[in-house]
Each structure stands twice: as C-alpha cells, then as structure tokens.
Amino acid sequence: QVQLVQSGPEVKKPGASLKISCKASGYSFTAYPMHWVRQAPGHGLEWMGLINPIGGSTNFAQKFEGRVTMTRDTSTSTVYMEVSGLTSDDTAVYFCLRDVVDWGQGTMVTVSS
Amino acid sequence: DIVMTQTPLSLSVTPGQPASISCKSSQSLLHSDGKTYLSWYLQRAGQPPQRLIYEVSNRFAGVPDRFRGSGSGTDFTLRISRVEAEDVGVYYCMQSVELPLTFGGGTKVEIK
C-alpha cells in the first residue's frame, strides 16, 4: 500500500532554515506529483507548492515563491522541502500529499526564539 | 485563486441521523477534460486528513457508502446518511482544477 513517511518534528529559531523529507513507497514514485500542504495550529489547510518527481519541476503558491525549495531524490523515492527565513508564522504541521490522494503523517515545525 | 467556502462551520449530529456539508467555489471546477476536480477529506483530531471522495462523487476504496458526494459547477455537497461516532472530525473540500490548490475552511462534525 502507499506510504508517505515524513521526517520528525523540528524546533527552529527565527531566521533559520528548515528541510523536511517525505519518503514514498508502494507506488511508482515518478508517476504522481507531490504537494506540500501546511496547517497552522487551530487553522485550516494551506497549499504551498508541488514537485513533479519525473523531472523535478516545481510550482509554488505565490506567498512562498523565493522562500521555499522543493527537490527530489528518485533513487530513494524521497521528496524534500526547504523553507528559509523562518518566522513564528511558519509554526505549523507540514504534510506531503501524493497527487490529491495520500497524505504523509505530518511534520510538526515550531519556530520560536 | 479559487475561493472555497464551506458551510456550516460546525455540526452536532445525533448518531444514526444524516448530516450535510456544503462547499461552494468562486468559479467552476469543471475542467476542459470533462471532469470536475472537487475532493473531500476528513481530518480526525491529531491525524492527517484522509481521503473520502474525489471528482465530486467517487468514493475512495474503503470509504463507507454512507458518504455521498454530489454537485456540479460551483456547488457541492457531502452527505453522511447515518452519522457514526467514527465520523467525528473536521471535513474539508478541496479543488484541484487549477493551481494553487485551495481548501474550504472546514466543517467540524461532533456527536450529540
């Protein structure tokens, strides 16, 4: 079955960068785009962007352009998302989402001085 | 960006009774390929969202048939025919007809 296993929780200081991973299994990794969605505490879901694993092309929500990078490693079926210039507003749970179907378990990110 | 508006914000339902959630989009979700890209998810407390419905009315494998999606264009509805205790959580609609993907604000379903 499809599994998306994300890296563990992170605590970062304002201004720092963050890189989280999502390791996929149970399907053809290059066949589906991988999205990243975040959820601030007590809030709804916010789409951040996607990466197409077959070629590595990306597409970002306007508010994250220039601050978010998405990469992939086809040899390990893993996608990565890096967020720079963290602020307290980036405190959230970050999810990877295969196509519009399967969700990772989430990675809690806390940004605090 | 397409704005997704869900109502109501919350719902308290007696077990065995029906429930209905509305989701309206600011523009049509009908793609040129003839499909309408509206999905529904349930997020239980402390869990990631889980898939329920895709393309308006198709249940994902393993989703009980008490969940029914309907609608077209810009107006969509998720109905639960007989609510059970395990149906508690927040329901989200999402459009994927164009980027950015956008979500409704969520509807919290509780059991009376």
Side-chain angles (χ1 to χ4, degrees), chain A residues 39 45 47 95 100-104, chain B residues 41 43 48-49 51 92 100-101:
Chain A
Q39 185 171 39
L45 301 164
W47 183 79
F95 298 101
V100 294
V101 181
D102 298 295
W103 297 72
Chain B
Y41 303 91
Q43 186 175 32
R51 61 198 192 184
Y92 292 97
L101 303 187

Side-chain angles (χ1 to χ4, degrees), chain B:
Chain B
D1 297 1
I2 297 176
V3 177
M4 305 296 288
T5 303
Q6 275 183 246
T7 54
L9 215 56
S10 65
L11 214 42
S12 184
V13 188
T14 301
Q17 292 301 301
S20 181
I21 300 169
S22 171
C23 175
K24 295 184 190 298
S25 57
S26 61
Q27 60 195 73
S28 175
L29 303 187
L30 176 63
H31 193 274
S32 56
D33 65 6
K35 297 178 182 178
T36 300
Y37 290 96
L38 185 282
S39 305
W40 290 95
Y41 303 91
L42 164 60
Q43 186 175 32
R44 298 189 175 102
Q47 298 291 315
Q50 64 181 74
R51 61 198 192 184
L52 292 175
I53 302 281
Y54 68 99
E55 292 169 21
V56 180
S57 60
N58 299 288
R59 280 187 302 276
F60 284 103
V63 175
D65 63 7
R66 63 179 181 275
F67 290 93
R68 295 267 169 119
S70 63
S72 63
T74 61
D75 283 356
F76 305 94
T77 302
L78 176 70
R79 289 185 175 87
I80 310 171
S81 57
R82 293 172 306 280
V83 171
E84 298 187 6
E86 67 180 23
D87 301 336
V88 161
V90 181
Y91 290 78
Y92 292 97
C93 59
M94 184 196 80
Q95 68 78 21
S96 54
V97 72
E98 67 175 42
L99 297 178
L101 303 187
T102 48
F103 296 86
T107 296
K108 186 174 185 178
V109 172
E110 300 172 321
I111 296 292
K112 276 185 186 172

Side-chain angles (χ1 to χ4, degrees), chain A residues 46-110:
Chain A
E46 179 178 35
W47 183 79
M48 300 180 69
L50 69 83
I51 182 167
N52 288 299
I54 193 166
S57 62
T58 54
N59 194 307
F60 300 107
Q62 193 170 12
K63 71 180 285 186
F64 298 110
E65 285 274 10
R67 201 163 72 90
V68 171
T69 305
M70 294 179 187
T71 57
R72 91 286 189 226
D73 182 343
T74 55
S75 69
T76 60
S77 299
T78 303
V79 297
Y80 300 90
M81 181 176 66
E82 188 162 8
V83 185
S84 61
L86 292 167
T87 72
S88 58
D89 288 343
D90 294 312
T91 293
V93 178
Y94 291 76
F95 298 101
C96 55
L97 168 61
R98 178 188 76 100
D99 198 12
V100 294
V101 181
D102 298 295
W103 297 72
Q105 86 275 19
T107 296
M108 180 69 222
V109 174
T110 304

